[in-house]
């Protein structure tokens, strides 16, 4: 998943040879339930035994609460899938649940605490006895408190990351599946507390579909990359097996996810996904990027304008760059980020959107779909700039207009082209064309502002970086306007 290989014989279960995220994944045991895992069952048994022998209780990365939570779930799912846990591993599993129950990540909240609660619920169902009943009760109480907080009324996860939303949906499906496997394990009150889980899972599935491109995978807003969460199609199939598949709405070309702050526009062969959202919950912006008023665009089922994605965690300069405004399809003012991302998983002063308007661009419903919004993220700067953006989409093209008010030296609108596009641009970049992999073309005309093309990067998965191109427009007198078109190039 992280693009960095290593053998257990060479690296062991812990040590400085690999970063913490790599070590965490090593201790998750995700492969127990991966595709064709049954072909590796004997190897899995040896791996389980080795983990118990080499990881003393409470020592190393593997015993931190988050990897412990994911490992508990994976071991239990493996056992319920028809495998037999060796006795030392069964004993260790109980010890892990006991250890976790005393080290819940209440100080971190968010997806960490949710993972803790899920692990306790599954352990409480899997084992029997008073202690197991306490694990189950504790986990259910945490979920009863956290679900209304973490899942917004429109079905979106409150951290506004498509990747973490997909992981949260998998959690909900696993929880519902586990309750179905132990129908008599809950008290009447506990069953009542879980009664809304099916509807919640359907709503979360519908939200995820709205945030996907026509290629069937997630858009890249905040921390997001492919290959971390299960593929959207896999989650859909899982939801369908449980009778929990949701259906995304498609109303007049506009899907407004009002509570989470995203808008999906569709017109003919084009799909645009717009970010008019806050960066995340005020107390938990760790997976946020400075991407306010960014957007992504697909044409003819292929991605053409992309936020650059996420390839690494930690506190590196590259991590900071990927979280920065310049790595997204939005406007950079005087070299600053719209929200002050820092320290790998921190945000200081942050942008807040306002003034949202959407609808037909005039009295006639057949006119282009119009969306307008602004944010105050740059008002912390001396000249108190404000970024305003306007999108106009119809079947033949997309117009993006940017205005930056207030005193500022330079404002740059960034448009990152997917690396698979072949560029055919003139010397000035004011007009140009890009060829899609299937031979169709995207054309642009910069109608206001001064354009240039620069080298960019694209990170669709952890550990992967691809070179690409970024079309940059320097706003003239605080304004820019670009028109993308594609209708004349249809096959």
């Amino acid at each position: 998943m992280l693009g960095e290989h290593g053998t257990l014989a060479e690296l062991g279960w812990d040590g400085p040879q690999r970063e913490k995220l790599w070590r965490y994944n090593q201790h998750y045991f995700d492969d127990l339930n991966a595709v064709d895992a049954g072909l590796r069952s004997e190897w899995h048994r040896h791996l389980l035994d080795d983990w118990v022998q080499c990881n003393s209780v409470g020592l190393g990365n593997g015993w931190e609460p988050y990897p412990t939570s994911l490992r508990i779930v994976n071991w239990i799912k493996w056992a319920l899938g028809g495998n037999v846990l060796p006795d030392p591993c069964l004993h260790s599993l109980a010890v892990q649940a006991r250890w976790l129950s005393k080290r819940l990540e209440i100080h971190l909240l968010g997806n960490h605490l949710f993972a803790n609660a899920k692990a306790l619920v599954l352990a409480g169902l899997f084992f029997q006895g008073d202690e197991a009943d306490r694990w189950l009760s504790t986990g259910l109480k945490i979920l009863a408190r956290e679900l209304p907080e973490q899942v917004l009324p429109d079905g979106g996860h409150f951290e506004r990351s498509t990747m973490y939303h997909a992981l949260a949906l998998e959690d909900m499906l696993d929880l519902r599946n586990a309750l179905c496997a132990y129908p008599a394990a809950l008290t009447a009150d506990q069953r009542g507390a879980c009664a809304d889980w099916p509807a919640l899972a359907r709503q979360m599935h519908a939200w995820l579909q709205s945030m996907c491109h026509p290629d069937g995978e997630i858009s890249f807003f905040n921390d997001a990359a492919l290959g971390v969460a299960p593929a959207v199609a896999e989650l859909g199939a899982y939801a369908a097996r449980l009778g929990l598949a949701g259906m995304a709405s498609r109303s007049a070309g506009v899907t407004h996810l009002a509570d989470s702050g995203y808008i999906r526009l569709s017109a003919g062969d084009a799909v645009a996904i717009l970010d008019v959202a806050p960066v995340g919950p005020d107390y938990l912006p760790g997976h946020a990027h400075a991407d306010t008023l960014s957007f992504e665009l697909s044409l003819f089922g292929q991605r053409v304008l992309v936020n650059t994605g996420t390839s690494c965690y930690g506190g590196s300069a590259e991590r900071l760059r990927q979280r920065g405004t310049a790595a997204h399809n939005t406007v950079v003012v005087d070299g600053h980020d719209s929200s002050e991302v820092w320290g790998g998983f921190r945000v200081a002063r942050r942008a807040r959107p306002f003034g949202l308007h959407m609808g037909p661009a005039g009295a006639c419903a057949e006119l282009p779909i119009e969306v307008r919004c602004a944010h105050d993220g740059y008002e912390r700067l001396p000249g108190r700039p404000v970024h305003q953006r306007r999108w106009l989409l119809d079947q033949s093209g997309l117009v993006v207009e940017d205005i930056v008010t207030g005193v500022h030296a330079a404002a740059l609108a960034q448009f990152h082209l997917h690396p698979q596009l072949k560029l055919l641009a003139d010397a000035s970049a004011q007009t140009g064309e890009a060829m899609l992999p299937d031979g169709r073309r995207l054309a642009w005309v910069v109608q206001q502002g001064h354009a240039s093309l620069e080298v960019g990067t694209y990170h669709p998965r952890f550990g992967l970086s691809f070179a690409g191109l970024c079309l940059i427009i320097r706003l003239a007198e605080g304004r820019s306007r670009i028109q993308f078109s594609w209708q004349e190039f249809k096959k």
Side-chain angles (χ1 to χ4, degrees):
M1 184 195 80
L2 301 179
E4 191 173 5
H5 300 282
T7 66
L8 186 60
E10 172 192 5
L11 300 173
W13 288 100
D14 239 320
Q17 306 97 323
R18 291 292 185 270
E19 294 185 355
K20 181 179 282 288
L21 181 62
W22 198 95
R23 290 297 187 186
Y24 265 27
N25 276 270
Q26 187 181 12
H27 290 273
Y28 292 163
F29 276 79
D30 283 340
D31 193 63
L32 292 181
N33 303 293
V35 175
D36 294 328
L39 301 177
R40 301 184 294 279
S41 58
E42 191 61 31
W43 174 68
H44 285 153
R45 289 187 183 89
H46 288 300
L47 197 65
L48 288 160
D49 281 330
D50 192 75
W51 189 91
V52 172
Q53 293 174 25
C54 297
N55 289 272
S56 300
V57 176
L59 298 180
N61 288 306
W63 281 93
E64 292 184 23
Y66 187 71
T68 298
S69 298
L70 271 61
R71 184 173 57 254
I72 287 171
V73 169
N74 278 323
W75 285 23
I76 290 174
K77 289 169 69 174
W78 188 75
L80 294 178
N83 300 285
V84 178
L85 278 169
D87 286 343
C89 298
L90 191 62
H91 174 74
S92 173
L93 182 61
V95 172
Q96 292 173 55
R98 183 177 301 129
W99 174 269
L100 174 65
S101 69
K102 301 179 186 303
R103 291 162 179 82
L104 301 175
E105 294 174 286
I106 297 171
H107 60 298
L108 293 179
L109 299 171
N111 65 298
H112 277 242
L113 184 59
F114 198 101
N116 302 161
K118 175 187 174 183
L120 289 184
V121 168
L122 264 67
L125 294 170
F126 184 75
F127 290 102
Q128 295 181 347
D130 291 342
E131 187 176 25
D133 290 343
R134 289 194 296 273
W135 297 338
L136 176 61
S137 177
T138 298
L140 290 174
K141 287 177 181 177
I142 293 172
L143 292 175
R145 184 178 69 246
E146 288 299 311
L147 278 170
E149 174 76 6
Q150 294 197 27
V151 182
L152 301 172
D154 63 11
H157 188 257
F158 74 154
E159 292 193 66
R160 274 82 169 184
S161 157
T162 48
M163 180 178 78
Y164 281 97
H165 177 95
L167 290 169
L169 174 57
E170 181 189 27
D171 288 339
M172 286 302 303
L173 297 175
D174 281 347
L175 285 164
R176 178 60 183 170
N177 201 4
L179 294 189
C180 292
Y182 294 92
L186 271 59
T187 66
D189 287 343
Q190 288 173 335
R191 286 195 297 273
C194 302
D196 63 342
W197 285 9
L200 194 64
R202 292 187 185 96
Q203 198 172 19
M204 293 175 70
H205 183 225
W207 188 95
L208 182 62
Q209 293 176 82
S210 294
M211 292 296 293
C212 284
H213 283 276
D215 64 11
E217 276 295 356
I218 59 173
S219 49
F220 292 163
F221 295 99
N222 295 315
D223 277 343
L226 306 177
V228 176
V232 175
E234 293 172 352
L235 288 171
Y238 189 11
R241 291 196 298 273
L242 296 174
L244 301 178
M247 182 63 67
S249 64
R250 297 286 187 268
S251 175
V254 178
T255 301
H256 184 200
L257 302 168
D259 301 291
S260 49
Y262 295 95
I263 299 172
R264 179 191 180 94
L265 304 179
S266 58
D269 299 303
V271 171
I273 305 175
L274 319 182
D275 180 354
V276 294
V279 298
D282 282 338
Y283 63 89
L284 195 66
H287 292 293
H289 289 200
D291 60 359
T292 307
L293 302 191
S294 67
F295 74 102
E296 296 193 329
L297 176 68
S298 278
L299 294 176
F300 313 113
Q302 303 168 71
R303 301 186 191 211
V304 293
L305 296 178
V306 293
N307 292 318
T308 61
T310 303
S311 73
C312 59
Y313 276 175
S316 68
E318 178 61 14
R319 165 71 171 158
L320 189 63
R321 186 188 72 81
Q322 291 178 20
R323 295 180 75 203
T325 302
H328 302 85
N329 295 321
T330 187
V331 171
V332 178
V333 175
D334 289 343
H336 291 274
D337 293 324
S338 57
S339 294
E340 292 180 304
V341 292
W342 65 283
F345 298 93
R346 298 287 187 269
V347 184
R349 291 171 291 186
R350 58 208 64 172
R352 300 187 186 277
F354 65 91
L356 175 63
H357 164 84
M358 59 183 181
C364 176
E366 294 182 0
L367 289 171
I369 305 167
E370 178 187 35
V371 177
R372 298 195 307 267
C373 196
H375 75 79
D376 64 1
Y378 294 120
E379 282 197 313
R380 69 182 187 270
L381 303 180
R384 299 184 63 81
V386 171
H387 174 209
Q388 305 171 36
R389 172 161 275 188
R390 180 180 186 231
W391 295 268
L392 291 164
L393 178 70
D394 63 19
Q395 294 189 6
S396 63
L398 170 69
V399 173
V400 183
E401 297 178 347
D402 289 300
I403 299 174
V404 175
T405 60
V407 178
H408 62 282
L412 304 175
Q414 318 265 150
F415 300 94
H416 294 268
L417 303 176
H418 192 284
Q420 289 188 339
L421 270 62
K422 181 180 180 181
L423 197 64
L424 305 167
D426 71 6
S428 69
Q430 292 292 119
T431 63
E433 293 179 13
M435 183 180 293
L436 281 64
D438 69 357
R440 287 181 276 202
R441 297 184 183 184
L442 166 70
W444 72 81
V445 177
V446 177
Q447 298 169 331
Q448 189 168 12
H450 308 288
S452 63
L453 282 164
E454 297 185 9
V455 175
T457 59
Y458 182 54
H459 315 280
R461 296 177 182 269
F462 273 84
L464 288 182
S465 295
F466 297 100
L469 287 172
C470 181
L471 176 63
I472 299 177
I473 305 174
R474 186 183 183 96
L475 276 64
E477 298 181 348
R479 293 176 176 268
S480 70
R481 189 177 198 270
I482 183 170
Q483 181 172 15
F484 296 98
S485 58
W486 50 83
Q487 188 70 17
E488 63 182 288
F489 300 119
K490 284 185 69 172
K491 284 186 174 179

